[in-house]
Amino acid sequence: MPEDKDTTASVNTAADKPLIIVGVGSSAGGLEALQMMISNLPDDTNMSFIVAQHLSPSHKSMMVDLLLKDAPIPVFTAVDGDVLRGNTLYICPPNHNIEMSRDNKIVLTSYVEARHTPRPSIDMLFESIATHKGDDAIGIILSGTGSDGSRGIRAIKAENGFGIVQDPNTAKYDGMPNSAINSGNVDLIVPPEQIGAELKSIVMFPRDRIITSEKTIPRETYIGIIRLLKLHSKVDFSLYKENTILRRIERRMTSLKIARSEDYLHHMDTHPEEIRLLFNDMLIGVTSFFRDVRAYEVLRRELKLYLKNKTDNIIRIWSAGCSTGEEPYTLAMIISELLGDRKNEYKIQIFATDIDEQSINFARDAVYPESALLNLPKEIKAKFFTVKGDQYEVIKPIKSMVIFSIHDINKDPPFLRLDLITCRNLMIYFTAELQRMLLPTFHYALNPGSLLMLGISESIGLFQEQYRVISKSTKLYQSVSINKSLPPERVMHNRRIPDYIDPIPAAEKQVISPTKQLDQDYSGLIMEALKNRILPNALLVNENQDIVFSEGRNELLIRNEGIPSNNVFKNFHPKLVVELRSSLHEIDIGKPFVDTGYQNIKLNDENVWVRMMLVRVDRLPPLGRFTVVFTDIERPFALPALNDLEGNISTEVVKEQERLLNRTRDQLQNVIEELETSNEEMQAMNEELQSSNEELQSSNEELETTNEELQSTNEELQTAYAELRMAYEEKEQQQSELQILRTDLIQSNNLLHEAEKIGLSGSWMWDIENRRLTWSNGCFALFDVNVEDFQPSFEAFIGLIHPDDRNRLETQMKEMLLKQVKLPITFKVTGADQEVKIISLDAVVSFNELKQATKVMGTMTDITEKTHYEKNTSAYKDKINYILTSSLNCAYIYNFIDKHIEYINPTLTQQFGFSLADLEDYSGDAFFKLFASDEQEKIKQHFDRVRTGSPGATYPSKYAFKKRDPNGFTHVYANHTVYDVDEATGFASKMLVTFFAAE
């Protein structure tokens, strides 16, 4: 009993752990690697394994039987909708793709269309695991050819999962392992028999789910790691969110089995390649073509409106953080569709940038696996991609629009005069400080009224004045036109990791005593009184000389006519602009405080004295440096007397005039010094221009030589162009002929389809050598199966037959190949509504020189109605024959078309002496000799009325009918009934006549 309790406790503990999903991908040579890996798997990790092995779609898979033999955990064939269980392994069935859903269920997808890569797709499996499991996802790539799985393992790594690859030296085919390793997204490279032990280590390795830098990594160690990354890559990751970086560091420590962060820092110092691996982990991003279709639909709509109103023919777009290039190519496709035939009229430049050189090189090639295009509409694939081996390549017209370059958005200057910037799911990794620096930079780079597109989890934050919201749900914004003569400041004054220098520890927070607090309160009261009474008017001016804040009712501020502007010089009293400009210049060159003294101006028809005091204020980015302008306006009564008692000008006025004169001299001297400095710079620039001119002349000579070579090359190209033109014209002619043939083929196929639909038939072909069965649409309709879901094969065909006829049909089909069965063959099938159909199969068999059947072509026809009609007609005729034979009345059947009697009953023979052979003499017009001559015309008219009657209608009459012996006539009462109708004419074709003697 105690052992049972322990077991129960163990099971409960395992159940409480999160379910880790392990995706395993393999191809050629992968079976051996799978057997070695699975035989060494632990059975207590609570991991669920999903195997995507490239398999032939036409052969029954024996994978489960082969792997179950040595597996320490259960092995099953995956079934759509099954819930994934821990310590269990699932094998994807042939001709399916396998994924997982959010609620840990298996999702199988069957495909019947043509494909360029084998299935199941490893990329699709890995991407679904990454999406739904995050850091509880593990991807394993074993032996195989091609590159399937490389994109998927990148997705797993982007979500902080693990990537494991079989050592290429142990793989039978090393294409897939090497492709994954070259992508830089692999944590472990081990032989397959060691993978199980590594998986157990990953589960057992201590990992904090809630990461704080102080808890997991000491501050000085964290700074040391960031510094090494900056030394290696010139990228400052101190501006990235710490949690993101810590998760990446933790993953690297787990893969290396290093428990202490100090040991990991030492490992980075002694193993420089680890710095590169961690750097690659930092840059992993997931993207796709037309990611978030709704967002791109909104962007397409707004771009269409923007281009319609655009006055020039230059389109400049910046895709920041482009990763592997799907986003900029998507933008190029949208622009191409919007412009259509007018595309050549525009100069289109899409700048795609990233700090990951490997991703940029991949994007330049523009070659993507089939899994990257799975969610694209067929028309997009056909229009913008070409098949290249087992992958897809973006067409050259789209590639030519995109310019890729390495660019650090945090320090490199932005591209300018842009119509659109897309920066999606990049700023979520940045600190708030860095985000506040980037958004003004984007605004500076954008044209007025142009567009900014962010990720779903990003926003413009505090910069509401610079952007107008177009679509809040899709995060699309429009740049608002404001004065931006200078680029925003991009220096991070509070950068936490200075360039290669240890940061100074922050000072401890001081405790303020009650006495000191009271002193500060008194000081605040004094400052508040001064601001309200002495200097009530103040302006806050930024580095662009724009007014960003105004306090008090300032009489010196004006608002001119025209376009509004916040520029201080355009909104200040014109008599004071020169003095203000000079004072701001002194502030710019480093002076902390400037006092202009009093100046006499006319304000509102009143002479006043104005004094300006300017104070420099430095703030942290993104606010930057400001200048506070205090203005003091004094009326004459508040100033000392200007004249003495005798009316002479006082010495105070003279001193004021001298002060103003001295200030004017100072301002003039400043201007002279600036001009001299500018003159020296112009002279230096002139010398540089002269030197550049000499270099340009030298370059011009080289260009002339190059031009001659180009002319020669151009002549050769003209010749080649003429040849290409002829080849192109021939190709166009061939294309035209092919188009005609294609049209004829489509018309023929349509006619065939309609004919099959009308005739309830279908055609089929059986390629015996390749075990391939092909059906026309008519065959699918006969068996009530879906063209997209049902894959024809001999076994599948036999499975559709009614159980009573399966063995007989299979035997007859085999005998047909030996010409030992009579065609056609009939059999029953059960339709979708459980109705039994009768099908007739006819075929022609082709034989090779060895008299062996190689191919069978034939048709299948629904003969259910025909069979039922023939059966009912035969039964009906048998019933009528029985009634007429046993009847006491005379009866015969007259054929209107052949004009003769085709049936008589025994009673007629007994009473009138005629046999059926005797009545052959009364065919055609001689038939009416059976009636009295004076009644023949009346009987003909009566027969004509019967012929136009409806089926089953009876017409009575009385006349004399001839006897054979003795030669005479007997009066009879007769009923004439329409027996059959000619479908072509609608008239009766046969008539049943019953009569009896009147005496």
Side-chain angles (χ1 to χ4, degrees):
M1 293 295 292
E3 292 181 0
D4 294 338
K5 291 180 180 179
D6 293 342
T7 304
T8 305
S10 175
V11 171
N12 291 338
T13 302
D16 293 338
K17 295 180 179 178
L19 181 65
I20 298 176
I21 305 297
V22 182
V24 183
S26 63
S27 184
L31 180 58
E32 299 174 11
L34 275 171
Q35 289 174 322
M36 286 190 286
M37 184 196 81
I38 292 174
S39 62
N40 292 280
L41 286 179
D43 58 359
D44 58 350
T45 58
N46 197 39
M47 291 181 174
S48 183
F49 298 84
I50 305 175
V51 177
Q53 164 77 30
H54 294 167
L55 298 170
S56 170
S58 58
H59 291 83
K60 183 179 179 181
S61 173
M62 302 293 291
M63 283 280 293
V64 174
D65 298 331
L66 294 172
L67 297 178
L68 186 60
K69 187 170 49 176
D70 300 320
I73 58 177
V75 180
F76 299 102
T77 298
V79 177
D80 187 43
D82 274 5
V83 178
L84 293 165
R85 299 193 300 269
N87 302 315
T88 309
L89 189 141
Y90 301 88
I91 307 292
C92 179
N95 203 31
H96 287 76
N97 277 331
I98 186 168
E99 299 174 271
M100 69 165 292
S101 63
R102 180 179 299 177
D103 50 356
N104 292 340
K105 290 184 179 181
I106 294 173
V107 178
L108 293 179
T109 311
S110 177
Y111 292 88
V112 295
E113 74 272 12
R115 65 189 187 209
H116 300 284
T117 59
R119 291 198 175 93
S121 168
I122 302 171
D123 284 331
M124 284 184 62
L125 171 62
F126 283 7
E127 287 173 355
S128 71
I129 295 175
T131 300
H132 300 304
K133 298 305 294 183
D135 54 4
D136 287 323
I138 298 176
I140 300 175
I141 294 181
L142 303 178
S143 172
T145 59
S147 61
D148 194 14
S150 297
R151 183 182 180 88
I153 210 165
R154 178 185 179 91
I156 288 178
K157 287 289 291 177
E159 297 296 332
N160 212 35
F162 264 88
I164 303 175
V165 170
Q166 178 182 357
D167 187 345
N169 296 323
T170 67
K172 191 171 183 180
Y173 296 93
D174 60 3
M176 281 170 45
N178 278 329
S179 177
I181 293 170
N182 293 335
S183 71
N185 303 314
V186 175
D187 293 300
L188 296 172
I189 304 172
V190 293
E193 61 270 16
Q194 297 180 17
I195 292 178
E198 295 293 343
L199 291 174
K200 189 158 188 177
S201 296
I202 292 172
V203 174
M204 301 301 294
F205 194 85
R207 290 184 292 164
D208 291 323
R209 292 293 170 182
I210 301 176
I211 301 175
T212 59
S213 58
E214 282 72 15
K215 182 178 180 181
T216 58
I217 298 180
R219 194 68 189 166
E220 59 273 13
T221 305
Y222 176 79
I223 294 173
I225 293 173
I226 298 300
R227 186 187 302 112
L228 285 177
L229 284 171
K230 188 170 183 179
L231 281 168
H232 166 78
S233 63
K234 304 297 184 284
V235 176
D236 188 359
F237 284 102
S238 67
L239 305 176
Y240 288 60
K241 290 182 179 177
E242 290 188 5
N243 281 353
T244 302
I245 298 174
L246 288 169
R247 281 196 295 268
R248 302 293 194 230
I249 294 172
E250 180 196 55
R251 282 291 165 173
R252 290 303 306 159
M253 291 171 60
T254 304
S255 63
L256 295 171
K257 301 184 182 65
I258 298 176
R260 297 175 67 251
S261 58
E262 295 84 352
D263 295 338
Y264 180 67
L265 178 58
H266 177 71
H267 179 79
M268 292 178 69
D269 278 328
T270 55
H271 297 80
E273 68 277 4
E274 177 60 27
I275 303 177
R276 178 182 58 81
L277 293 173
L278 179 59
F279 176 73
N280 289 340
D281 271 8
M282 297 290 188
L283 304 182
I284 296 173
V286 178
T287 183
S288 61
F289 291 104
F290 292 91
R291 188 180 187 186
D292 190 353
V293 176
R294 182 169 171 268
Y296 276 107
E297 284 301 321
V298 176
L299 177 63
R300 183 193 299 269
R301 183 190 69 210
E302 294 300 324
L303 269 178
K304 184 177 181 180
L305 181 63
Y306 177 82
L307 294 177
K308 182 180 179 182
N309 298 325
K310 191 172 175 61
T311 57
D312 58 26
N313 60 349
I314 299 175
I315 300 175
R316 291 166 61 86
I317 297 173
W318 181 15
S319 173
C322 67
S323 189
T324 48
E326 287 90 333
E327 180 178 284
Y329 286 134
T330 298
L331 297 173
M333 295 174 196
I334 291 175
I335 293 294
S336 177
E337 288 188 325
L338 289 177
L339 297 179
D341 297 335
R342 299 184 297 116
K343 183 175 64 175
N344 295 330
E345 301 174 9
Y346 285 80
K347 181 181 179 182
I348 304 170
Q349 294 175 313
I350 301 176
F351 303 102
T353 64
D354 202 283
I355 60 174
D356 187 354
E357 183 177 2
Q358 193 170 8
S359 293
I360 289 293
N361 292 335
F362 180 91
R364 282 197 184 103
D365 292 337
V367 178
Y368 297 91
E370 186 181 25
S371 59
L373 279 67
L374 283 175
N375 297 324
L376 289 184
K378 291 181 179 179
E379 55 270 19
I380 294 292
K381 291 182 187 179
K383 186 175 183 180
F384 296 115
F385 293 89
T386 59
V387 178
K388 185 176 183 180
D390 60 351
Q391 296 182 308
Y392 287 82
E393 182 176 10
V394 179
I395 60 174
K396 288 184 179 179
I398 296 299
K399 289 171 67 175
S400 64
M401 295 184 193
V402 185
I403 304 167
F404 289 97
S405 64
I406 299 173
H407 181 278
D408 189 348
I409 193 174
N410 302 333
K411 66 178 183 179
D412 294 331
F415 299 90
L416 301 179
R417 300 184 302 280
L418 298 171
D419 300 297
L420 168 66
I421 295 178
T422 60
C423 183
R424 307 186 71 206
N425 304 317
L426 176 63
M427 292 199 300
I428 57 175
Y429 299 108
F430 296 161
T431 61
E433 177 188 359
L434 181 54
Q435 292 181 28
R436 289 195 295 268
M437 184 189 77
L438 286 180
L439 286 167
T441 301
F442 287 159
H443 183 267
Y444 179 76
L446 287 167
N447 289 326
S450 52
L451 305 175
L452 170 67
M453 187 180 191
L454 301 179
I456 297 300
S457 303
E458 300 163 338
S459 68
I460 56 173
L462 302 175
F463 301 96
Q464 305 292 333
E465 294 183 358
Q466 296 180 338
Y467 298 96
R468 180 180 70 85
V469 178
I470 294 178
S471 173
K472 189 174 182 180
S473 60
T474 60
K475 300 305 172 71
L476 187 63
Y477 305 92
Q478 185 178 40
S479 170
V480 176
S481 176
I482 62 174
N483 187 6
K484 47 180 181 179
S485 58
L486 294 175
E489 184 178 5
R490 292 167 60 85
V491 178
M492 306 296 289
H493 291 288
N494 63 339
R495 189 186 297 270
R496 285 165 301 199
I497 310 296
D499 289 350
Y500 324 124
I501 301 174
D502 289 333
I504 300 174
E508 295 183 1
K509 187 176 181 180
Q510 298 180 355
V511 179
I512 302 175
S513 66
T515 303
K516 192 171 184 179
Q517 179 66 46
L518 187 60
D519 291 344
Q520 292 180 358
D521 291 342
Y522 288 153
S523 177
L525 290 174
I526 294 172
M527 293 301 296
E528 183 69 20
L530 284 174
K531 187 184 74 170
N532 293 335
R533 301 296 179 184
I534 307 302
L535 296 172
N537 299 322
L539 299 176
L540 191 63
V541 180
N542 64 14
E543 294 174 275
N544 294 339
Q545 283 74 51
D546 290 332
I547 300 173
V548 296
F549 184 76
S550 173
E551 187 173 71
R553 186 177 177 275
N554 199 327
E555 298 178 77
L556 300 177
L557 287 179
I558 61 174
R559 176 65 75 178
N560 292 322
E561 296 181 357
I563 298 175
S565 171
N566 287 328
N567 187 270
V568 67
F569 305 126
K570 295 182 179 180
N571 290 273
F572 213 68
H573 196 288
K575 292 292 185 180
L576 298 172
V577 166
V578 175
E579 187 70 31
L580 178 60
R581 190 184 297 274
S582 177
S583 301
L584 285 172
H585 174 71
E586 293 182 45
I587 292 291
D588 287 340
I589 62 177
K591 206 169 182 180
F593 175 77
V594 176
D595 187 346
T596 65
Y598 286 100
Q599 297 183 64
N600 182 246
I601 65 170
K602 194 167 188 178
L603 182 65
N604 298 326
D605 296 328
E606 180 185 6
N607 287 322
V608 297
W609 292 84
V610 177
R611 176 188 182 191
M612 293 183 291
M613 289 169 285
L614 285 74
V615 181
R616 176 183 176 128
V617 180
D618 290 321
R619 300 292 294 172
L620 297 177
L623 297 178
R625 180 174 56 77
F626 293 97
T627 303
V628 179
V629 182
F630 294 101
T631 58
D632 181 23
I633 303 174
E634 297 291 351
R635 267 63 184 180
F637 64 82
L639 295 173
L642 300 181
N643 299 324
D644 57 17
L645 297 175
E646 298 178 357
N648 298 321
I649 298 176
S650 68
T651 57
E652 295 297 329
V653 175
V654 174
K655 289 181 180 179
E656 177 64 18
Q657 294 298 326
E658 289 178 353
R659 186 189 67 78
L660 292 176
L661 182 60
N662 290 333
R663 181 160 182 81
T664 303
R665 287 198 191 99
D666 292 340
Q667 293 176 358
L668 182 59
Q669 183 63 32
N670 288 337
V671 172
I672 291 171
E673 291 176 357
E674 290 179 8
L675 287 174
E676 288 177 348
T677 303
S678 300
N679 187 41
E680 292 175 358
E681 292 176 353
M682 291 293 291
Q683 288 178 352
M685 188 179 298
N686 185 45
E687 293 175 358
E688 293 177 1
L689 287 174
Q690 287 179 351
S691 176
S692 299
N693 186 42
E694 293 174 357
E695 294 177 1
L696 287 173
Q697 287 179 351
S698 175
S699 300
N700 187 44
E701 293 174 358
E702 295 176 0
L703 287 173
E704 287 179 355
T705 304
T706 305
N707 186 42
E708 293 175 358
E709 296 175 355
L710 287 174
Q711 286 178 350
S712 175
T713 305
N714 187 43
E715 293 175 358
E716 297 175 0
L717 288 174
Q718 289 290 344
T719 305
Y721 175 76
E723 296 175 355
L724 285 173
R725 185 65 186 174
M726 292 178 61
Y728 178 74
E729 290 175 354
E730 292 178 0
K731 182 180 179 182
E732 279 190 333
Q733 184 178 356
Q734 293 173 355
Q735 290 283 1
S736 177
E737 294 174 356
L738 284 174
Q739 184 63 34
I740 294 172
L741 293 174
R742 183 173 179 272
T743 304
D744 293 342
L745 180 60
I746 292 174
Q747 185 176 0
S748 299
N749 285 336
N750 291 337
L751 291 174
L752 175 62
H753 181 64
E754 292 299 323
E756 288 181 344
K757 182 187 285 188
I758 294 170
L760 298 177
S761 63
S763 55
W764 56 278
M765 184 176 71
W766 184 18
D767 189 342
I768 299 172
E769 293 179 340
N770 297 321
R771 297 179 58 81
R772 183 177 180 183
L773 184 63
T774 305
W775 280 3
S776 68
N777 290 336
C779 289
F780 287 98
L782 284 179
F783 291 94
D784 292 333
V785 292
N786 195 312
V787 177
E788 296 179 355
D789 298 335
F790 184 78
Q791 182 68 37
S793 65
F794 181 79
E795 293 79 8
F797 166 60
I798 295 298
L800 294 173
I801 308 306
H802 194 281
D804 297 343
D805 292 347
R806 285 178 187 168
N807 292 334
R808 175 179 61 81
L809 178 62
E810 191 169 5
T811 301
Q812 289 179 326
M813 291 286 285
K814 292 177 181 178
E815 290 176 349
M816 179 181 67
L817 303 180
L818 303 174
K819 290 188 175 180
Q820 295 181 354
V821 68
K822 185 178 179 181
L823 295 172
I825 304 171
T826 60
F827 54 87
K828 299 188 296 295
V829 297
T830 304
D833 55 357
Q834 302 302 315
E835 180 184 356
V836 177
K837 297 181 181 179
I838 301 174
I839 307 297
S840 173
L841 180 146
D842 210 343
V844 176
V845 185
S846 299
F847 297 89
N848 59 16
E849 61 276 5
L850 300 177
K851 305 299 182 183
Q852 296 173 332
T854 59
K855 190 174 294 184
V856 183
M857 297 179 65
T859 59
M860 286 185 280
T861 307
D862 185 349
I863 60 171
T864 306
E865 292 187 6
K866 179 181 178 183
T867 303
H868 289 169
Y869 175 77
E870 291 178 351
K871 185 176 180 180
N872 293 338
T873 301
S874 177
Y876 178 72
K877 288 182 178 180
D878 290 344
K879 185 175 181 180
I880 293 296
N881 186 53
Y882 173 77
I883 293 173
L884 294 177
T885 301
S886 59
S887 175
L888 297 177
N889 293 333
C890 299
Y892 67 87
I893 295 175
Y894 177 73
N895 191 317
F896 284 108
I897 298 174
D898 297 336
K899 295 183 179 180
H900 76 284
I901 295 174
E902 62 180 29
Y903 170 83
I904 62 174
N905 68 346
T907 304
L908 189 148
T909 302
Q910 292 173 5
Q911 295 186 14
F912 289 85
F914 289 107
S915 66
L916 187 60
D918 295 334
L919 293 174
E920 289 292 337
D921 296 334
Y922 293 93
S923 297
D925 293 336
F927 168 74
F928 293 99
K929 291 181 180 180
L930 292 170
F931 308 97
S933 57
D934 57 343
E935 294 181 325
Q936 287 181 6
E937 192 62 33
K938 180 186 72 173
I939 291 172
K940 288 181 181 180
Q941 294 176 0
H942 181 71
F943 277 24
D944 288 340
R945 186 167 67 255
V946 175
R947 190 180 182 192
T948 58
S950 58
T954 299
Y955 301 88
S957 182
K958 179 181 178 183
Y959 48 76
F961 193 80
K962 183 179 177 63
K963 278 190 173 184
R964 185 172 184 275
D965 190 23
N967 191 10
F969 293 88
T970 300
H971 289 281
V972 298
Y973 291 103
N975 284 325
H976 305 79
T977 305
V978 177
Y979 182 68
D980 200 0
V981 176
D982 185 359
E983 294 182 359
T985 63
F987 295 153
S989 60
K990 295 180 182 180
M991 172 180 64
L992 172 64
V993 182
T994 58
F995 58 88
F996 56 90
E999 293 82 15

